[in-house]
Amino acid sequence: VAGDAVAGQYIANLTGGCGCHFNSDLGGLAGGRKFEGPFGVVYAANLTSDAETGLAGDSDATLISILRTGQEVGEDGAVEVIHPIMPYKTFSVMSDKDVQDLVAYLRTLEPISNAVPERELKEEPTAWTPSATPPAEAPTEPVARGEYLVTLANCGGCHTPKNEDGSPKADMMLAGALLPGDAGE
């Protein structure tokens, strides 16, 4: 990867430390966290550099595609769409430099063997294409930089109502939402 792992750690921390992938039993981003809803069940992937159960076998281009579009092309050429509970729609704005840095950081994670169960969905998610090409570099003008950081920090993940598939309602971004387990959720 052409990225800088130290800068990538900053991006990872900004995005919540990739906390959905943190496995407290194994002490790292080994995945396995279960997400259940009307859509079915998905599990957070193992983001460590484990060769068998982690991302060591994925190319940088594959990881960047997953982060930005939620799509992975298999060895057979078939496209698998990651469930939109993974905030790839949010991360689609990530600059080329920042996404390369993030991938470089993920490559530094110590391998942890953790085979994550397969997802069990009621229907497969549809492919999604970002509406805009991400910038080469992150914005530096204060307001644009703030919007970029709020987007990457995925503030909308908790502060935006969800669709039935678990993705955020784009027309209600940052309008507030119930926390899981609250009345009505």
Side-chain angles (χ1 to χ4, degrees):
V1 163
D4 172 358
V6 173
Q9 184 175 14
Y10 169 79
I11 296 300
N13 289 335
L14 177 68
T15 65
C18 302
C20 291
H21 298 270
F22 188 78
N23 185 307
S24 56
D25 293 334
L26 298 173
L29 298 179
R33 182 174 174 193
K34 183 178 183 179
F35 294 89
E36 202 166 1
F39 51 84
V41 179
V42 294
Y43 300 87
N46 182 342
L47 297 185
T48 72
S49 58
D50 185 66
E52 297 298 319
T53 64
L55 54 75
D58 292 330
S59 70
D60 294 346
T62 294
L63 294 175
I64 289 169
S65 177
I66 290 169
L67 285 164
R68 284 183 166 163
T69 69
Q71 297 175 49
E72 177 179 9
V73 179
E75 291 178 15
D76 61 356
V79 175
E80 179 179 339
V81 180
I82 307 301
H83 191 273
I85 204 158
M86 158 59 182
Y88 54 82
K89 292 178 182 181
T90 299
F91 296 160
S92 70
V93 303
M94 195 178 303
S95 73
D96 293 339
K97 180 181 180 330
D98 286 346
V99 77
Q100 291 167 356
D101 291 347
L102 179 57
V103 168
Y105 168 69
L106 293 174
R107 297 275 187 219
T108 69
L109 298 178
E110 290 295 318
I112 299 173
S113 179
N114 186 37
V116 174
E118 293 292 323
R119 65 191 187 181
E120 302 165 24
L121 299 176
K122 294 188 176 165
E123 63 182 72
E124 288 298 311
T126 57
W128 175 80
T129 303
S131 60
T133 302
E137 297 276 336
T140 57
E141 185 277 320
V143 172
R145 177 78 177 157
E147 180 180 8
Y148 179 78
L149 294 175
V150 164
T151 300
L152 287 187
N154 196 21
C155 296
C158 294
H159 297 276
T160 302
K162 303 280 188 276
N163 292 308
E164 283 191 23
D165 68 0
S167 66
K169 292 183 177 182
D171 61 339
M172 297 185 72
M173 193 57 65
L174 301 176
L178 294 173
L179 294 173
D182 282 352
E185 180 67 2

